[in-house]
Amino acid sequence: MDRYVVIGNPVAHSLSPRIHALFAKQLGETLEYATLVAPRDDFASAARAFFDGGGRGANVTLPFKLDALRFASRASDRARLAGAANFLASRAGIIEADNTDGAGLVSDLTRNLRATIAGSNVLLLGAGGASRGVIAPLLAQRPARLVVANRTLDKARDLAAHFANLGNIVAAPLDAIPGGEYGIVVNATSTSVQGEPLRLPAHVADARGLAYDMAYGDAARAFLEHARGAGMRASDGLGMLVEQAAESFELWRGRRPATAAVLAELRARRP
Ligand code: ATR
């Protein structure tokens, strides 16, 4: 049986095995998808053992997305631009890396949430790895402007410079977000996960755009409650997780699963 894993640390609570089991059932494919915990300081040995043992593919989650890119012999443009990989596949003995996170975000925003990126002002909060992973796919949708706002301005400036040739991207400090009606606000900071909710300034919330947190479940709750309270539409990142999984499944298996029923089933089981 073809074997796949999600590698992380911790990884026991990952929803990916459930999502891929639902995809496989939907398409009548026979495969096994499990979790694999790797030592924090030795991703490569765990990944090597898995692929040497005949594993076909892996998703990679925190804290190993940079290690995964280094581990692969080949990488897609979008993985190289993101500087990180959440996807590995073994093809003819060669390990290839890709990054499906940005495509997952774009699919969730545009298809599931019916938000319009093209021609809109988009605000991306944070300038860490999570932001870097989604900038190129966001810019490919041709927003009027992508503002990357970060507590540490220099990190936002570095990202804006890195991606400047791909579209209209500017950096701003988190406490001085420039004016302009933002149709979409994406929280890619780690504040939710740390339990310190981020506050949006009134001029951002007043545009009544979509507030999106790349985290999901409890981690996203405070930011989303704040955004809803300020009059915005709001969504967590569960749809992004399902969409990046669908993109991964298609890359491995050549068939794209439908996501709506899978997302609905996951939502029905969560509070
Ligand atoms: P990740 O890989 O999840 O993006 P990271 O690289 O550590 O994690 O980046 C965390 C992001 O959350 C950064 O943009 C960070 O801002 P700084 O660059 O200024 O550190 C942001 N962040 C974390 N805690 C924050 C807080 N309390 N307020 C605002 N931004 C915060």
Side-chain angles (χ1 to χ4, degrees), residues 126-131 150-152 155 174 188-191 194 196 198:
S131 287
N150 197 45
R151 181 176 60 181
T152 310
K155 281 168 69 181
L174 197 55
T189 68
S190 51
T191 51
Q194 295 165 1
E196 318 161 31
L198 214 55

Side-chain angles (χ1 to χ4, degrees), residues 237-253:
L238 190 62
M240 175 179 172
L241 181 75
V242 172
E243 296 296 337
Q244 66 76 29
E247 182 88 6
S248 298
F249 193 98
E250 184 178 11
L251 288 170
W252 286 321
R253 313 289 303 178

Side-chain angles (χ1 to χ4, degrees), residues 193-256:
V193 181
Q194 295 165 1
E196 318 161 31
L198 214 55
R199 307 259 137 201
L200 293 172
H203 75 273
V204 171
D206 285 351
R208 300 280 186 268
L210 170 68
Y212 190 94
D213 197 313
M214 282 171 50
Y216 55 86
D218 282 343
R221 193 156 292 140
F223 176 72
L224 298 181
E225 273 173 10
H226 160 68
R228 282 192 193 106
M232 299 176 79
R233 188 157 78 97
S235 174
D236 71 2
L238 190 62
M240 175 179 172
L241 181 75
V242 172
E243 296 296 337
Q244 66 76 29
E247 182 88 6
S248 298
F249 193 98
E250 184 178 11
L251 288 170
W252 286 321
R253 313 289 303 178
R255 299 171 73 197
R256 190 170 187 95

Side-chain angles (χ1 to χ4, degrees), residues 31-48:
L31 56 84
E32 183 188 298
Y33 189 113
T35 56
L36 175 61
V37 62
R40 283 185 170 253
D41 60 354
D42 197 5
F43 170 82
S45 297
R48 172 63 53 213

Side-chain angles (χ1 to χ4, degrees), residues 146-199:
L146 178 62
V147 176
V148 180
N150 197 45
R151 181 176 60 181
T152 310
L153 178 58
D154 279 352
K155 281 168 69 181
R157 284 195 171 131
D158 288 349
L159 285 185
H162 184 73
F163 290 100
N165 60 337
L166 297 182
N168 185 6
I169 178 170
V170 296
L174 197 55
D175 56 4
I177 294 170
E181 295 216 333
Y182 294 99
I184 301 171
V185 177
V186 176
N187 182 14
T189 68
S190 51
T191 51
S192 306
V193 181
Q194 295 165 1
E196 318 161 31
L198 214 55
R199 307 259 137 201

